[in-house]
Amino acid sequence: MANTLIQGATVVTAQETRAADVLIEGERIKEVRAGIPARAGDKVIDAKGMYVIPGGIDAHTHLDMPFGGTTSADDFESGTRAAAFGGTTSIVDFAIQARGTRMRDALDTWWKKAERKAAIDYGLHMIITDLGASGLEDMDDMVREGVASFKLFMAYPNVLMVDDTTIFKALSQTAKNGALVCMHAENGSIIDVIVARALAEGKTAPIYHALTRPPRAEAEAVHRAIAMAEIAGVPVYIVHLSSEDALKEVREARDRGVPAFAETCPQYLLLSQDELERPNFEGAKYVFTPPLRPKEHQPKLWEGLKNDHLQVVSTDHCPFCFKDQKILGKDDFTKIPNGGPGIENRLQLIHHHGVNLGKITLNRFVELTSTTPARIFGMYPKKGEIAPGSDADLVIWDANAPYTISVKTHHMKVDYSMFEGYEVLGNARMVLSRGEVIVDGQKFLGASGRGNYIKRAARGGAWK
Ligand code: URP
Ligand code: ZN
Ligand code: ZN
């Protein structure tokens, strides 16, 4: 492959912003400095007036995921293509261990879902539903395969929820194998009682999804998850944190020096519980867990991102079409498939509402959306960095490009956008994955199946 030289850019990393050229040799970055001369045969990309940032890393996606009798609308082909358009060059998706089966079966199933489809690189977390007799050995086996993180659910009794014994055993095993436990922290037992009461009272509309999952149920579970991790002497990562109450638990733990980490998502930063009251059942478009919160929570989450009480912004992309999937819960909000689309719009939204509106710096934007997920999930410095030796996963970012988010133009295979009509300033102009230009403006130049499985290292950033 010919060398590629990105000239005249402003290179932005988590650490610094500087004028520099970036020389790419094959799939890797060779050199980063001002004044690199182009040599004969080099492909030169003029990036004057543009930022070059490390490709986005979305550490929380659900492509081709079975849920509630249906399957998420994007598979690895459409989902990774949409991700690429938005400047995301790596994802970490979730394989799900079916109860009573081995984790390797789930890993094989998810590898099959991804191979020949993924257009960008992908890693996998493993969702543990059952430790059984061989679960702890299975965890070690997964770590050897590069599945360096596990998700456990404290919600969805009888489906995905595991008890505290399982959680504590899994956490304790990570002391030996260096993996990271990711917790879906909501007290599912309490929520189920509140849900049953609501249904008995005839409360079936989408808004009751939010009203039956109070922030205190999230905070309680976050508190318990962190306490269990502390007793086991290991780090823990809280996924899709949605509320001020839950954030306070993470902040207090971190203030005590406990290695607790957490992510939030654009929907919790920008949308509120009011969305679930949209007429004509449209509130169902915003049904996911944890639910959207009253808007007073939003500034607290932004402060959390700024002050490092929250470390990552991911999407929890889990799209279900309104017309034929969300509708399954027309008469009962508990039957609405839980999840929303977002894989394509994360960088646009966080750049505009975070950087442009002065809530976070440009470097923090890069840190939250790329560098820290790479570190925490064992991909750094191969991913999430612009330095010699790193993969040439790069985004040429036009900070002044106006863009209107809409279902009419997005590439996700879902019939609505949670951010319909949102106007942002800043978008990916060109996207490179391991040195290959896969998006150029509105053109997709990548190919399904070119994405590689990322074998992630244990004892990543959360352990340091
Ligand atoms: O509602 C959601 N978040 N769906 C995806 C599964 C999960 O809990 O992350
Ligand atoms: Zn979850
Ligand atoms: Zn999720």
Side-chain angles (χ1 to χ4, degrees):
M1 201 195 277
N3 286 353
T4 300
L5 179 62
I6 302 175
Q7 271 189 328
T10 300
V11 170
V12 183
T13 67
Q15 296 300 325
E16 59 175 5
T17 304
R18 63 176 166 134
D21 306 325
V22 182
L23 179 65
I24 299 164
E25 197 176 80
E27 299 195 339
R28 301 252 171 95
I29 296 169
K30 172 85 173 154
E31 204 178 354
V32 186
R33 69 171 168 91
I36 303 176
R39 286 167 301 184
D42 283 359
K43 172 188 165 76
V44 176
I45 298 172
D46 179 5
K48 269 191 232 65
M50 303 281 150
Y51 293 134
V52 174
I53 59 176
I57 299 176
D58 191 342
H60 189 151
T61 66
H62 301 278
L63 302 175
D64 200 356
M65 186 190 84
F67 186 96
T70 188
T71 302
S72 60
D74 273 315
D75 63 6
F76 277 81
E77 185 161 32
S78 62
T80 55
R81 193 169 177 271
F85 271 104
T88 288
T89 53
S90 303
I91 59 166
V92 190
D93 206 86
F94 292 82
I96 308 177
Q97 175 211 17
R99 282 225 163 100
T101 70
R102 304 295 296 262
M103 293 179 203
R104 178 153 293 269
D105 300 336
L107 182 60
D108 287 343
T109 301
W110 258 263
W111 272 342
K112 282 204 189 80
K113 285 173 189 268
E115 72 185 8
R116 291 196 293 276
K117 288 201 168 174
I120 58 172
D121 294 350
Y122 58 95
L124 291 168
H125 310 278
M126 179 62 62
I127 292 176
I128 298 176
T129 55
D130 174 13
L131 278 180
S134 46
L136 299 179
E137 275 167 44
D138 279 12
M139 285 179 73
D140 295 351
D141 182 34
M142 291 299 100
V143 171
R144 285 190 291 272
E145 294 287 8
V147 179
S149 43
F150 297 88
K151 181 177 178 185
L152 284 88
F153 281 78
M154 301 169 92
Y156 300 121
N158 306 316
V159 186
L160 294 165
M161 187 169 127
V162 287
D163 59 15
D164 287 355
T165 308
T166 303
I167 294 170
F168 187 67
K169 282 185 180 169
L171 282 163
S172 301
Q173 193 67 11
T174 68
K176 297 178 195 152
N177 63 31
L180 178 65
V181 167
C182 303
M183 296 300 312
H184 178 126
E186 287 184 295
N187 186 318
S189 308
I190 291 176
I191 288 168
D192 256 21
V193 174
I194 306 173
V195 165
R197 263 190 226 147
L199 290 177
E201 290 166 11
K203 296 170 173 167
T204 60
I207 183 61
Y208 292 104
H209 174 75
L211 299 180
T212 55
R213 308 181 87 90
R216 299 306 301 161
E218 186 183 19
E220 185 282 327
V222 169
H223 184 91
R224 189 157 34 105
I226 293 174
M228 284 190 275
E230 219 178 326
I231 297 166
V234 299
V236 66
Y237 180 92
I238 309 296
V239 292
H240 47 43
L241 186 143
S242 69
S243 66
E244 178 188 2
D245 308 53
L247 175 60
K248 191 160 164 273
E249 298 293 339
V250 175
R251 192 177 61 227
E252 283 179 358
R254 290 178 64 81
D255 286 349
R256 284 189 292 114
V258 174
F261 301 85
E263 64 176 22
T264 191
C265 314
Q267 52 271 34
Y268 301 118
L269 293 161
L270 299 169
L271 303 173
S272 83
Q273 187 177 294
D274 297 348
E275 307 289 355
L276 283 97
E277 303 208 77
R278 287 183 181 228
N280 304 319
F281 191 59
E282 295 222 6
K285 293 176 176 175
Y286 302 88
V287 167
F288 39 79
T289 57
L292 290 173
R293 306 300 187 183
K295 64 173 176 310
E296 297 72 43
H297 291 256
Q298 294 166 10
K300 305 292 179 186
L301 298 180
W302 280 110
E303 272 169 41
L305 290 176
K306 181 175 173 189
N307 297 319
D308 203 35
H309 305 136
L310 296 169
Q311 292 71 41
V312 171
V313 178
S314 61
T315 61
D316 194 10
H317 176 76
C318 188
F320 295 103
C321 288
F322 179 65
K323 278 204 192 79
D324 57 358
Q325 295 186 294
K326 291 285 186 180
I327 208 75
L328 295 170
K330 185 91 181 81
D331 302 315
D332 176 350
F333 70 88
T334 65
K335 300 205 164 56
I336 301 170
N338 286 191
I343 203 167
E344 190 166 349
N345 305 122
R346 183 179 61 125
L347 297 191
Q348 297 153 355
L349 289 166
I350 301 304
H351 174 264
H352 184 78
H353 290 274
V355 181
N356 292 353
L357 301 188
K359 296 191 190 84
I360 53 171
T361 66
L362 193 57
N363 306 97
R364 183 68 178 153
F365 161 67
V366 169
E367 194 167 35
L368 291 165
T369 57
S370 180
T371 310
T372 301
R375 282 185 196 278
I376 287 185
F377 291 107
M379 296 177 269
Y380 186 84
K382 185 177 165 68
K383 305 288 188 191
E385 188 54 281
I386 302 181
S390 293
D391 280 358
D393 289 359
L394 299 165
V395 179
I396 299 184
W397 185 261
D398 184 350
N400 297 309
Y403 184 71
T404 303
I405 295 172
S406 174
V407 64
K408 293 188 202 110
T409 47
H410 76 202
H411 302 85
M412 300 178 284
K413 224 168 66 188
V414 60
D415 60 358
Y416 72 97
S417 170
M418 292 200 289
F419 303 97
E420 185 66 39
Y422 273 52
E423 292 177 2
V424 295
L425 214 51
N427 200 3
R429 165 72 68 94
M430 191 179 272
V431 180
L432 290 88
S433 165
R434 282 179 283 105
E436 185 183 342
V437 177
I438 57 168
V439 170
D440 186 359
Q442 284 313 303
K443 284 200 294 285
F444 183 68
L445 303 176
S448 303
R450 64 164 297 286
N452 285 344
Y453 172 67
I454 306 169
K455 199 166 176 182
R456 295 179 295 118
R459 297 200 190 278
W463 287 89
K464 307 234 156 79

